[in-house]
Amino acid sequence: MNSITAAANAAWGLWRRDAALLWPLFGVTQFLPLLLRLLAMPPLPRLAGEAAGLVDQLRVLSAYGRENLPAILLIVVLQALGRATLFSLYRAPARTLATAFGEALALFPRYLLIVLAVTLGTTFGLLLFLLPGFYLAGRWLLAGPAFVAAPERPSWGALAASWRLTRGHGLLLMALVALAELGRSLIERPFALGRASMAEAPLLDALLALGQATGGAAMLLALALFQVGLYRELSARVTGA
């Protein structure tokens, strides 16, 4: 069994065992922020044609960020704290959610630096050309679990650890990240299209937003559990080598 398959099986096992614990955690830290973005924030602007140069894209994104800064900060903090709590929950056997949350809060300022570094790096890669962004996302996929597993090292050390652990798996992880993004888009697209045609029906719009946020949160939960499984698998192989 290869590392990717083993990680997927491990993630499925964690979900089957701990679903009652994971859904509330991700409901508060992933679902609610997604719902906030859908209902309280304007959609992200898109550039097309000759106006889609890198400088123009950065200018539009910067303006959007300034206009929606409080909501963006709340969403980033909640989602990052949720993932940090999940990684802490599985750092050692028999950990409680309260213990994991307390550790995540203590580590959060440094963990947030990793989140920002990965986000900025992959965003620039995606804006320049899709493949570099997906490749960086795949190679840094384990930065969060690596940091929580060994918080005594500096934040940048988690990026290096993820790069080292994923050596030899870069292209496959790049493909998996791209497929995960495609899957998220396919899940959310019918709800988004429905919302676009229900602008004059607030109740239906809210129901469609609930469905879209649920699909997005489920994908984020699946990815986080896969990160846990993959970190365990690859770090165990490195240790046993």
Side-chain angles (χ1 to χ4, degrees), residues 4 10 24 45 52 54 59 67 98 103 116 120 122 133 136 152 188 195 208 213 227 234:
I4 305 301
L54 177 60
R59 185 182 297 115
E67 293 168 2
E103 181 178 75
L116 293 176
L120 288 175
T122 55
L136 287 175
E152 67 279 0
E188 293 186 358
R195 293 188 67 216
L208 289 169
Q227 288 173 275
L234 294 182

Side-chain angles (χ1 to χ4, degrees), residues 82-109:
R83 289 191 293 271
T85 301
L86 184 139
F87 297 148
S88 178
L89 182 66
Y90 292 116
R91 186 170 70 84
R95 305 204 85 197
T96 66
L97 186 58
T99 301
F101 181 71
E103 181 178 75
L105 279 177
L107 298 176
F108 189 70

Side-chain angles (χ1 to χ4, degrees), residues 152-215:
E152 67 279 0
R153 62 183 160 202
S155 299
W156 59 264
L159 297 175
S162 179
W163 198 270
R164 183 174 62 254
L165 287 170
T166 57
R167 185 178 295 121
H169 303 280
L171 293 179
L172 181 55
L173 290 176
M174 177 184 73
L176 286 175
V177 169
L179 285 173
E181 180 63 20
L182 176 62
R184 183 194 63 80
S185 297
L186 291 175
I187 290 173
E188 293 186 358
R189 180 61 61 85
F191 297 103
L193 292 176
R195 293 188 67 216
S197 63
M198 295 291 179
E200 304 303 322
L203 179 58
L204 288 176
D205 178 71
L207 290 174
L208 289 169
L210 283 170
Q212 188 174 349
T214 300

Side-chain angles (χ1 to χ4, degrees), residues 54-147:
L54 177 60
V55 174
D56 292 320
Q57 292 183 68
L58 291 175
R59 185 182 297 115
V60 170
L61 289 175
S62 177
Y64 181 86
R66 289 193 302 271
E67 293 168 2
N68 300 279
L69 186 59
I72 290 174
L73 289 176
L74 178 61
I75 290 170
V76 169
V77 167
L78 281 175
Q79 291 190 327
L81 184 59
R83 289 191 293 271
T85 301
L86 184 139
F87 297 148
S88 178
L89 182 66
Y90 292 116
R91 186 170 70 84
R95 305 204 85 197
T96 66
L97 186 58
T99 301
F101 181 71
E103 181 178 75
L105 279 177
L107 298 176
F108 189 70
R110 294 168 60 212
Y111 179 84
L112 192 57
L113 291 176
I114 297 172
V115 173
L116 293 176
V118 172
T119 300
L120 288 175
T122 55
T123 298
F124 274 108
L126 290 169
L127 290 176
L128 288 170
F129 189 62
L130 286 177
L131 292 182
F134 285 130
Y135 183 78
L136 287 175
R139 294 302 301 271
W140 284 338
L141 190 64
L142 302 183
F147 171 71

